[in-house]
Amino acid sequence: MSFDFIRHDVKEQKTKSRYRQLVCNRTASQGKEIIVNGKSYLNFSSNDYLGLNNHVEINKALQEGADKFGVCSSSSSLVTGYHYAHQALEDDVCQWLNKPKCLLFSSGFAANLALFQALGKSEESHFYLDKLSHASMIDGAYHSKAKVKRFNHNNIDHLTKLLNSSGENATDSPNKLIASEGVFSMDGCQAKVLELAHLATSQQAWLYLDDAHSIGVVGNEGQGSNYFADIDITMATLGKAIGTSGAFLTCNEDLHEYLVNFSRHYIYSTAISPAIAWATRKSIELIQKEHWRREKISELSALFSEQLSQEVELVATQSSIHAIIIGDEKKALSISDNLKKQGIWLTAIRPPTVAINSSRLRVTICANHNTKDIKYLAECINKATA
Ligand SMILES: Cc1ncc(COP(=O)(O)O)c(C=O)c1O
């Protein structure tokens, strides 16, 4: 058979308990439940952190955007795909994050590829990535021409050592980029944003933060890592706390101009839906003013760790993401299946998404959960892991 590796690799996934399959579902109870094969489950695997998906005002804005500008941009941005809705959204983001420029992408994955490939134009560029950076950052960095180094997770000393190491003329290079996630997707912990920003300034490097899991959730108005320090370049997906789809990147005027001229992911891709851009403006407005959503996540998160038994290995975080480290892939799957029987949907995260022997249950606590949901979750996890 042609492409023999296809069957072989899939079979191997199954034997390693790493097999993945799509599960068709629909959301219910204002997004906190999902229905799979007619059965309803409390959903603790969603990235709808603020509970904004399906919000009536955002849906209304989506309809209004569709009526005014159409669902489809009908072209790439540089041809005729850049509409008033896109420009208005970019302006809103610039104001919100206090940044000079913003550029929209069809996804966070595309934005990360675009940024690393644009800045990694030649071997004169040096990238320093946190070891737990998202797959799209890693792919973007390694598919570029830059020299790439990875620093130990959240380890500023190690990063400093790498930046100071004289090999490959790195210290003399004017093109240094430090890159990290703002809140890490698989364990929920926060990057040391202030320390990273100071180090970047002292090393004349730029700091790039992927705020996929910080935007909306972190900061007094949900502005993510820029709440703590002035970040040179920030990327945030619209498909998590913001509750729409696509991504934005904020940066200075020069980089904006460069990306518009040279980023293949930007130039050769249809602009995001103008209706979605319009709906996203409404979502950002709600995020800025509805502080109770962030407060609820904090309260419920504190309750969760209080209710869990001492034996459960929980990564302590201030975010919506709470990882329970199980270790073995089979065990993580079996606990996840057990929880399903109790009406809880909690996906087991396994390698290669996380390191071998660190399979985990990734609990996401959202603003639309309540104390009863959290107590029930903790009770079921305590039983299932005992
Ligand atoms: C840290 C991080 N960066 C980037 C992405 C990609 O974003 P998107 O889903 O918009 O492609 C994700 C999400 O899946 C993510 O978790």
Side-chain angles (χ1 to χ4, degrees), residues 130 151-164 178 180 191-200 203:
D130 187 289
F151 60 94
N152 294 339
H153 177 47
N154 256 347
N155 188 329
I156 302 289
D157 288 343
H158 188 222
L159 170 60
T160 311
K161 243 183 231 156
L162 291 181
L163 281 157
N164 288 333
I178 298 171
S180 171
K192 295 174 178 164
V193 177
L194 252 186
E195 289 174 67
L196 287 172
H198 286 150
L199 186 60
Q203 296 274 348

Side-chain angles (χ1 to χ4, degrees), residues 47 106-110 112 134 136-137 181 183 185 210 212-213 235 237-240 246-247:
N47 294 327
S106 54
S107 73
F109 205 105
N112 270 334
H134 189 257
S136 54
M137 300 170 78
E181 293 186 37
V183 162
S185 53
D210 175 333
H213 303 276
M235 192 289 289
T237 168
L238 306 178
K240 300 193 195 288

Side-chain angles (χ1 to χ4, degrees), residues 174-225:
N175 306 335
K176 285 176 283 194
L177 184 78
I178 298 171
S180 171
E181 293 186 37
V183 162
F184 287 84
S185 53
M186 290 302 140
D187 64 13
C189 69
Q190 172 84 54
K192 295 174 178 164
V193 177
L194 252 186
E195 289 174 67
L196 287 172
H198 286 150
L199 186 60
T201 308
S202 71
Q203 296 274 348
Q204 289 164 323
W206 279 0
L207 176 59
Y208 177 57
L209 290 184
D210 175 333
D211 259 1
H213 303 276
S214 324
I215 204 74
V217 178
V218 171
N220 62 339
E221 289 190 352
Q223 61 275 62
S225 298

Side-chain angles (χ1 to χ4, degrees), residues 28 31 41 62 90 98-99 101-102 113 131 138 148 161 187 226 250 261 264 312 319 329 337 345 351 357-358 372 374:
Y41 301 84
L62 181 78
E90 288 173 355
N98 195 19
K99 295 286 150 199
K101 280 289 181 186
C102 171
L113 295 183
K131 277 212 172 136
I138 295 168
V148 182
K161 243 183 231 156
D187 64 13
N226 281 282
T250 58
N261 278 277
R264 296 169 70 80
V312 176
S319 70
E329 283 125 274
D337 286 344
W345 197 273
N357 289 331
S358 76
K372 192 169 151 236
I374 301 300

Side-chain angles (χ1 to χ4, degrees), residues 224-282:
S225 298
N226 281 282
Y227 175 68
F228 303 112
D230 188 11
I231 314 301
D232 299 301
I233 314 164
T234 314
M235 192 289 289
T237 168
L238 306 178
K240 300 193 195 288
I242 294 177
T244 60
S245 177
F248 68 74
L249 195 139
T250 58
C251 58
N252 66 23
E253 310 235 357
D254 288 346
L255 180 57
H256 178 272
E257 199 175 17
Y258 185 79
L259 290 170
V260 168
N261 278 277
F262 295 106
S263 165
R264 296 169 70 80
H265 297 86
Y266 188 73
I267 299 168
Y268 301 109
S269 184
T270 302
I272 72 167
S273 154
I276 288 183
W278 201 247
T280 304
R281 298 187 70 207
K282 176 53 77 180

